[in-house]
Each structure stands twice: as C-alpha cells, then as structure tokens.
C-alpha cells in the first residue's frame, strides 16, 4: 500500500541510498567489495522499501529483519576485531528486540485473529475484543520501535554502532534505518491502535484510545531524548560521536510532534514529524559522509585536532555548514521549517513543557553545531593529505542540494506533507483501500 506517507519515505530512501551508493563506490576497499558490501547494501534498501510498503504486521517484522541482517554485515564487513565486536553487540540487542516484536505480533494475532493492519484496525474498532492486552502489547511494540529508532532509554547502541561503521553505512542507518522504526510508530498508532478504545470498565484510562495513552509515554521519552542527545553532543570531541549523539537528540524532535499528534489528533503535529524526518534524513546522512571525508584527508576526526579546513576546501566548508545549519533551523533551509513546525505544534496544542524542552534542545543544537563548524573549518590550519574524490563530492552535493531545494520550494513540500498527514489522521481511506484490494 503506497499512500502519500509511504511515497515520501520511499523518495527519501531513494535519494539517500543513491548518494550512499555513489559514496561507497570510491570509499569501500576492494576487500570490502569482495566481502559482499554492495550485496548487503542493496539488501538493506530492499528491506527499507518493503517496510514502507507493507500493510501486514508480520511482513513488517520480516522487513525489519532484512534491514537488520544487512546492518550487521555492513558494520562488520572490514573483519577487524573492533568491527566484529560492535556488530555482535548490535546483533544481541536487536535479537532481543526482534523476539519482543514477534511476541507482540503473536499476542495481537491471538486477540484480533489477523495480522493485516487494516483488518486489525476494523476488529479493534468493533470493540468486541479485550483492550487491556492490546494496550500492553502495543506498549511492547513501541519499545521495539524505540530500540530501532534510538529513543531514550534505548539509545545506548547508537554511538558505538555509528562510530564504528563505514561512513555510507552510518549514513544509511542514521538517515533511513531509524526512520523505519519511526514510520512504523506513525503507521500503527494512527491507523491501527487509534481505533481501539479502552472500555469504561477498565481500572485506568477509561474511554481513551490506546494511541492517546501510548502518546503520553512517547512524549515523556521524547522530551528526555531531545535534551539527552543535545547534552551528549555538546560534550563530544570526536566528530562521529558528536553526530551520533546529535542523531539521538534529533530523533527526540521527531517523536515530540508524533506524541502530541497521538494525544490531540493535531494535523500540524503530523506534518511537523514528516518534514523533520525529511530534513534529518538528508542532513545527517550528508554529515556522516563528510565525517568520512575528513577522516581520510586529515587522518583524524578529533575536533580539537582539526582546524583551517576552509583553506583546504571551500566546497567542503560550504556543504558541511549547510547541513549543520539545517539541523539548527536556519532559514531558508528545510531545517528551518521543520523546527518551526515543531515549535508551532507545541504552541497550538498548549504543551508548554514541550515548548521548553524543544527550545532547550534547539539551543543545544546551536551550541554543538557552531562549535563544530568554527573548530573544524576555521582557526589554525592543519596538514591534509589526499584529494576529495569526485564521487564523494557528487554524493554529498546531491543530499545538500535536496536540503536547499526542499527549503526554497517549501510550499510544495508542505502541500505533499499535508496530504500525507491528512491520510494518517483519516485512516478510513487506508483501511478501505487495503481491504478492497484483498477482495
């Protein structure tokens, strides 16, 4: 089922994966290519594509596993002890998550008699099933998606895995793989669990939808994530670690409007989450690739040891600055509109505590972004060795141009995001289309 939301995510996947593919051609060693790097790369893209298209909960689990198996291999493809150890930790964590997901899917099947998302939504809307286990199982599912997307308290794997992965693999995982978990939350909690109302006979949450109850939990974790990621990024000296913690904080910015949308049914909240996903996918992917370029031409990613890169490459200075400024929310880049929409969501839903936290997160983003740009590209010049390769430039430029174009042409970006948000908030069309297609 390819609705507007799925199409947006597929477009983001196509753009980032094309850029990462170009970058990989020149950056991955011959040994890595012989070890099957590109096979696993495209296997990952296939899994992501399937996850965005499936309308079946069990198939979503299968697509998650395809993405994760590819991720394990791409993290460990160099065969070094450190890479293998990082991959092993990633495997163990996600095996736990996969087991929980399978248990939750099995539990929902036993309650509703189906794993088709549209069919499950109809069964839950009928009110003929016990909603108490549905609430518990939906919470377990969110924990699984929280592990996949790296929200607090499931974020501990992110810095290690991203820091020890090849730059294009880190770009794919930060830019797209995380979005698979976030997309699953939007798809399930707005389409399926929003149809499930907790009966008045229950001890707690009487009359509320399962989605609204889960939204309260998501909001709490999202606000903590915004601040945790920002503080973690400010204190990092290695660029890849800074980008990893930044990625944690930015995921919090995405989850805040999702939570407020679940609680209040706000269209602007869903639009904010969608636009922020687009911006984060492009900006963070490009930054991880630029981290790889800096590591290759300087031999280090320690921010305290870098400096004066602007004299070495005006191009790298420009694209790095654009991506960082987009994370900060500098107009007229896409990041400005995504950040503005998150603030707008907090104000329109009168969630003042959310407004305080996202403002603090925005200040922290400005601090670590300005510190990084000034330290790395200005100040005392360091020696560099080697040229920036043409395919590296092409890959990074593709993503940065996407940030600029979607920002300058934001009116059209907003129109499509609004269509996706309307479809998310009115799941009847999705349900009817899926069930009609099965006849």
């Amino acid at each position: 089922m390819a609705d507007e939301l799925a199409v947006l995510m597929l477009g983001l996947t196509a753009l980032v994966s094309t850029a990462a593919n170009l970058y990989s051609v020149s950056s991955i060693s011959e040994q890595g290519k012989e070890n099957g790097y590109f096979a696993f790369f495209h296997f990952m893209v296939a899994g992501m594509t399937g996850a965005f298209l499936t309308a079946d909960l069990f198939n979503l689990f299968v697509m998650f596993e395809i993405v994760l198996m590819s991720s394990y291999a791409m993290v460990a493809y160099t065969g070094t002890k450190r890479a293998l150890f990082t991959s092993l930790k990633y495997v163990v964590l996600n095996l736990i998550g996969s087991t929980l997901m399978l248990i939750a899917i099995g539990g929902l099947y036993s309650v509703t008699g189906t794993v088709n998302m549209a069919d499950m939504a109809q069964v839950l809307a009928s009110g003929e099933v016990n909603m108490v286990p549905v609430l518990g199982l939906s919470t377990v599912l969110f924990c699984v998606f929280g592990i996949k997307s790296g929200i607090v308290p499931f974020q501990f794997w992110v810095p290690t895995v991203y820091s020890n992965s090849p730059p294009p693999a880190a770009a794919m995982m930060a830019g797209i793989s995380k979005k698979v978990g976030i997309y699953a939350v939007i798809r399930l909690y707005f389409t399926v669990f929003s149809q499930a109302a907790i009966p008045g006979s229950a001890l707690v949450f009487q009359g509320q939808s399962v989605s609204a109850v889960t939204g309260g939990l998501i909001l709490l974790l999202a606000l903590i994530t915004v601040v945790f990621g920002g503080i973690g990024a400010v204190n990092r000296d290695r660029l890849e670690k800074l980008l990893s913690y930044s990625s944690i904080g930015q995921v919090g910015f995405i989850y805040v409007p999702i939570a407020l949308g679940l609680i209040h049914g706000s269209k602007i909240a869903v639009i904010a989450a969608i636009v922020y996903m687009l911006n984060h996918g492009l900006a963070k992917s490009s930054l991880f690739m630029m981290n790889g370029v800096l590591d290759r031409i300087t031999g280090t990613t320690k921010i305290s040891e870098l400096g004066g890169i602007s004299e070495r490459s005006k191009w790298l200075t420009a694209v790095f600055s654009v991506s960082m400024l987009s994370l900060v929310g500098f107009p007229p880049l896409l990041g400005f509109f995504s950040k503005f929409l998150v603030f707008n969501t907090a104000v329109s839903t009168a969630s003042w505590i959310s407004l305080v936290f996202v403002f603090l997160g925005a200040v922290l983003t400005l601090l670590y972004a300005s510190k990084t740009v000034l330290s790395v590209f200005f100040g005392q010049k360091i020696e560099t060795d080697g040229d920036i390769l043409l395919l590296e430039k092409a890959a990074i430029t593709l993503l940065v141009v996407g940030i600029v174009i979607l920002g300058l042409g934001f009116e059209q970006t907003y129109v499509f995001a609004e269509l996706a948000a309307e479809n998310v908030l009115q799941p009847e069309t999705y349900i009817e289309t899926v069930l009609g297609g099965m006849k």
Side-chain angles (χ1 to χ4, degrees):
M1 172 64 179
D3 63 351
E4 288 86 352
L5 177 61
V7 168
L8 272 174
M9 300 313 298
L10 290 170
L12 179 63
T13 302
L15 189 58
V16 174
S17 62
T18 299
N21 204 4
L22 287 172
Y23 188 100
S24 299
V25 170
S26 60
S27 68
I28 299 301
S29 66
E30 291 301 319
Q31 183 63 46
K33 294 172 184 175
E34 291 176 6
N35 288 344
Y37 171 87
F38 282 104
F40 289 113
F41 179 94
H42 291 289
F43 204 45
M44 176 187 282
V45 176
M48 292 170 176
T49 302
F52 293 135
L53 287 173
T54 185
D56 181 281
L57 195 52
F58 185 78
N59 283 346
L60 181 65
F61 166 78
V62 174
M63 295 304 166
F64 266 57
E65 293 306 296
I66 291 173
V67 173
L68 290 171
M69 284 189 292
S70 306
S71 302
Y72 306 150
M74 290 175 72
V75 172
Y77 89 101
T78 59
T80 64
K81 184 183 293 186
R82 187 176 182 181
L84 291 172
F85 184 63
T86 300
S87 181
L88 179 61
K89 289 193 293 184
Y90 191 44
V91 167
V92 172
L93 171 65
N94 281 285
L95 281 177
I96 295 171
S98 298
T99 302
L100 290 174
M101 187 175 182
L102 203 55
I103 290 171
I105 293 172
L108 288 169
Y109 177 74
S110 69
V111 172
T112 63
T114 183
V115 290
N116 179 278
M117 295 182 198
D119 197 17
M120 187 179 292
Q122 282 200 334
V123 172
L124 293 175
S126 70
E128 297 177 359
V129 299
N130 188 350
M131 293 299 176
V132 176
V134 172
L135 176 60
L137 292 166
S138 70
T139 305
V140 172
L141 269 182
F142 171 71
C143 291
V144 174
F145 301 144
I147 293 173
K148 312 296 185 187
S149 53
I151 192 173
V152 171
F154 311 108
Q155 84 298 335
F156 48 87
W157 62 270
V158 174
T160 303
V161 171
Y162 288 3
S163 299
N164 293 288
S165 300
M172 286 293 291
M173 287 189 284
I176 305 297
S177 185
K178 276 192 170 190
K179 308 306 180 297
V180 174
I182 298 171
Y183 169 86
V185 170
I186 295 174
R187 177 62 71 206
L188 283 173
Y189 288 85
F190 282 98
T191 302
V192 179
F193 296 125
S194 63
Q195 309 298 305
I198 299 172
S201 58
L203 295 177
V204 291
F205 308 125
Q206 296 97 330
Q208 298 185 53
S209 71
V210 170
S211 290
V213 174
T214 310
L217 171 63
I218 296 174
L219 182 60
L220 174 64
L221 299 182
L223 295 177
I224 296 171
T225 303
V226 167
V227 177
F228 177 89
I231 293 173
V234 167
N235 292 325
R236 301 301 145 188
D237 188 39
R238 286 202 172 274
L239 184 55
E240 66 271 18
K241 290 283 187 181
L242 182 147
L243 294 176
S244 298
Y245 278 93
S246 167
S247 187
I248 294 170
Q250 297 301 308
V251 163
F253 275 102
I254 299 171
Y255 269 119
V256 167
I258 289 175
L260 293 174
L262 289 171
I263 296 169
H264 300 283
S266 166
K267 183 171 76 171
I268 196 67
V270 182
I271 294 172
I274 292 170
V275 175
Y276 214 107
M277 280 196 289
L278 294 176
N279 178 63
H280 181 260
L282 297 174
K284 195 50 61 72
S285 297
S286 65
L287 287 167
F288 271 109
M289 291 182 195
M290 285 182 264
N291 175 71
V293 172
L294 285 168
D295 189 22
R296 186 176 60 78
I297 66 174
T298 66
T300 183
T301 57
K302 288 193 71 174
I303 296 172
S304 59
E305 296 177 359
L306 291 167
I309 302 298
S310 61
E311 297 183 33
R312 169 67 171 78
S313 173
K314 296 293 189 294
W315 169 83
L316 187 57
T317 306
V319 292
F320 193 97
S321 299
V322 168
S323 294
M324 271 297 189
L325 288 172
S326 193
L327 286 184
V328 171
F330 194 83
L333 303 173
L334 181 61
F336 166 75
F337 298 102
S338 65
K339 197 83 74 179
F340 173 79
L341 287 168
V342 172
F343 279 97
N344 192 5
T345 298
V347 173
S348 64
T349 57
S351 180
W352 308 118
I353 184 84
S354 300
L355 184 62
V356 171
F357 271 78
V358 294
F359 177 78
L360 180 57
V363 171
L364 290 169
T365 306
L366 177 61
L367 286 175
Y368 67 70
S370 57
K371 162 196 163 184
T372 304
V373 172
L374 292 174
S375 299
V376 173
F377 293 94
F378 302 96
Q380 185 176 356
K381 183 181 178 181
I382 66 165
E383 292 297 323
T384 58
D385 182 27
D387 295 322
I388 302 174
L389 305 177
L390 180 60
L391 287 178
E392 291 175 338
K393 285 187 175 182
I396 294 166
T397 301
L398 178 64
L399 298 179
V400 174
V401 168
I403 294 170
V404 175
I405 290 177
L406 291 176
L408 292 175
F410 185 71
E411 184 177 351
Q412 292 303 315
T413 307
Y414 184 88
V415 168
F416 206 91
E418 186 178 30
L419 287 173
E422 289 173 352
N423 196 42
V424 166
L425 291 170
Q426 297 172 355
E428 296 80 11
T429 302
Y430 181 92
I431 293 168
E432 291 171 5
T433 305
V434 171
L435 295 180
M438 293 173 61
K439 293 177 181 178

